[in-house]
Amino acid sequence: MRNDHVTLRSTAVFDLLAPRTPAVPVKVELRYDTRDPYAVVAAFRTGRAGWVEWVYARDLLADGLLAEAGDGDVRIRPSVEDPEAVLIELNSPSGHAMFEASAQELADFLDRTYDVVLPGNEHLWVDVDEALTHLIPNDLT
């Protein structure tokens, strides 16, 4: 486990896509934290209500820049109509949203994460004992 914790942040604007309406720009903060080296957080600004965060695998983002990826709540794929864009589809029990984002901005953010933790080296940053203390109750009686 590594002790030199790093958090990367990047701000972007994704376009919220809906049928028969113009795209709506949404501010998004992308975060990568070495305390959870397998994950990326995308926090979507939702107006006065604050932020909605989605956590998904860093590998999913990398795969989605090249080809359709994901079979769960988060799906990412290159845009067929615009080679410089990526589509991000989010599904939850409360709804569905489709966003279009700059492939270059996402690739740049992903490259910055690789500068901190190389792919395949994520396990070097995981503190298994710390993770277990959060999963197992302290009071087992």
Side-chain angles (χ1 to χ4, degrees):
M1 183 199 83
R2 304 277 306 264
N3 289 324
D4 43 346
H5 163 73
V6 174
T7 300
L8 300 175
R9 297 175 188 271
S10 181
T11 303
V13 175
F14 291 5
D15 287 331
L16 176 61
L17 306 176
R20 300 174 300 282
T21 61
V24 176
V26 176
K27 183 177 179 182
V28 179
E29 181 183 73
L30 298 170
R31 287 193 310 268
Y32 179 75
D33 190 318
T34 56
R35 288 178 286 201
D36 191 0
Y38 293 99
V40 170
V41 176
F44 295 82
R45 183 74 177 159
T46 59
R48 293 183 182 179
W51 298 84
V52 174
E53 292 188 351
W54 283 78
V55 180
Y56 52 92
R58 180 171 72 157
D59 287 347
L60 176 62
L61 177 58
D63 293 346
L65 288 172
L66 302 174
E68 188 168 337
D71 56 5
D73 295 341
V74 179
R75 297 176 184 198
I76 304 173
R77 67 181 177 275
S79 172
V80 174
E81 298 166 1
D82 181 357
E84 296 182 9
V86 172
L87 298 175
I88 300 170
E89 183 178 1
L90 305 175
N91 290 291
S92 76
S94 61
H96 170 267
M98 178 73 77
F99 294 91
E100 185 176 73
S102 164
Q104 188 60 55
E105 280 185 286
L106 292 174
D108 290 346
F109 174 74
L110 193 59
D111 286 346
R112 288 180 51 217
T113 74
Y114 293 160
D115 289 342
V116 176
V117 178
L118 288 172
N121 286 339
E122 294 91 350
H123 68 282
L124 300 174
W125 292 80
V126 176
D127 183 345
V128 174
D129 293 330
E130 176 70 18
L132 287 175
T133 62
H134 293 293
L135 294 173
I136 300 173
N138 292 331
D139 182 17
L140 296 176
T141 59

